[in-house]
Amino acid sequence: MTTEAGDRVGIACPACSPQFETVHEVLSTGGGDATLRCTECEHVHKESLPEEKTAQLDVVISQDGESFSAQVEAPADAELSTGEEFVAETDAAVMTVRITSLELDGGRVESAPVSDVDTVWTRAVGNVSVNVTKHPKDGKRENTESTKVQVPGDHEFVVGETEELGDLEFTVEGIHVRDDAEGYEFDKVDYEGDTVAAKDVKRLYVRDETSTAWSAW
């Protein structure tokens, strides 16, 4: 990966720390050498920065039951883990994806160095399709129906709040959280105010508030 203006790098400062690295802000990279500013003493100087070694990774992206293949560059000395997100470019689109598993020679694991990984298995989380189980206002569970809604991955569903999405209007009663989601205490939440991002939702359980829902006409 190429170092760009605004990045931070570790390098010795000739003014305050010639023997040890300090954090520098990259001001510019034109002309072969980078112009750097030491964050310790504010000294500005030019240095030649080594190119970071990268590796090509094969990535499989799952989205709405379909799979796409892509290749991405990653720092060669990086460590990958399930749950991490990154941007992948495919022939169809540029999308944000989340790692669901890492395939090595010996099988699938949850974390591994880039150099050991054969295939990165992911799912798209930038825009997601969320499974919804809804029941009518009268509460008759035998009349439940299943549907899907398309929303941005960062859209938040809140237990107790009413949503209007397209032709649907419903109140969220419970949320089943995906296995690869991080930061949630339980795999299902149903207390008023509980919040889950759409990309972390395995299924929504809702009460249909659509005025024409469940009509015989």
Side-chain angles (χ1 to χ4, degrees):
M1 293 182 178
T2 304
T3 303
E4 299 177 346
D7 289 349
R8 291 184 173 239
V9 296
I11 198 165
C13 175
C16 73
S17 181
Q19 300 298 322
F20 303 99
E21 290 185 351
T22 63
V23 177
H24 285 65
E25 180 185 359
V26 179
L27 301 179
S28 66
T29 57
D33 289 341
T35 302
L36 310 173
R37 178 169 55 216
C38 176
T39 60
E40 296 291 333
C41 69
E42 301 296 320
H43 178 67
V44 175
H45 57 108
K46 285 182 175 287
E47 296 287 347
S48 177
L49 298 179
E51 280 291 316
E52 185 177 35
K53 291 183 179 179
T54 61
Q56 288 274 11
L57 288 173
D58 291 324
V59 180
V60 177
I61 304 165
S62 175
Q63 184 180 46
D64 295 336
E66 297 185 7
S67 293
F68 309 87
S69 295
Q71 284 197 325
V72 299
E73 276 193 355
D77 59 352
E79 182 93 6
L80 299 179
S81 298
T82 56
E84 292 179 345
E85 297 179 7
F86 61 90
V87 175
E89 185 173 347
T90 71
D91 293 337
V94 176
M95 54 184 66
T96 302
V97 300
R98 175 182 292 171
I99 299 174
T100 55
S101 70
L102 301 165
E103 186 174 335
L104 282 62
D105 282 341
R108 294 196 183 189
V109 297
E110 293 187 353
S111 64
V114 164
S115 57
D116 292 347
V117 175
D118 289 335
T119 305
V120 182
W121 294 85
T122 70
R123 66 179 180 88
V125 294
N127 290 287
V128 296
S129 179
V130 178
N131 294 313
V132 180
T133 295
K134 59 180 181 174
H135 66 85
K137 294 180 183 180
D138 61 15
K140 293 182 179 179
R141 299 285 173 173
E142 65 270 17
N143 291 329
T144 58
E145 286 189 357
S146 293
T147 187
K148 290 185 178 184
V149 293
Q150 298 280 343
V151 291
D154 290 331
H155 178 87
E156 292 185 335
F157 290 104
V158 182
V159 175
E161 289 194 359
T162 299
E163 293 269 357
E164 290 187 41
L165 296 172
D167 296 332
L168 293 177
E169 182 179 359
F170 55 79
T171 299
V172 179
E173 295 186 334
I175 306 172
H176 195 177
V177 182
R178 284 183 172 272
D179 295 336
D180 63 6
E182 296 182 350
Y184 301 95
E185 190 173 354
F186 303 103
D187 59 3
K188 186 177 179 183
V189 297
D190 53 13
Y191 285 98
E192 189 162 334
D194 285 343
T195 303
V196 180
K199 61 187 177 183
D200 296 330
V201 175
K202 187 172 185 178
R203 181 170 291 275
L204 289 177
Y205 297 90
V206 307
R207 180 177 68 251
D208 199 331
E209 304 288 0
T210 308
S211 59
T212 57
W214 313 101
S215 171
W217 304 97

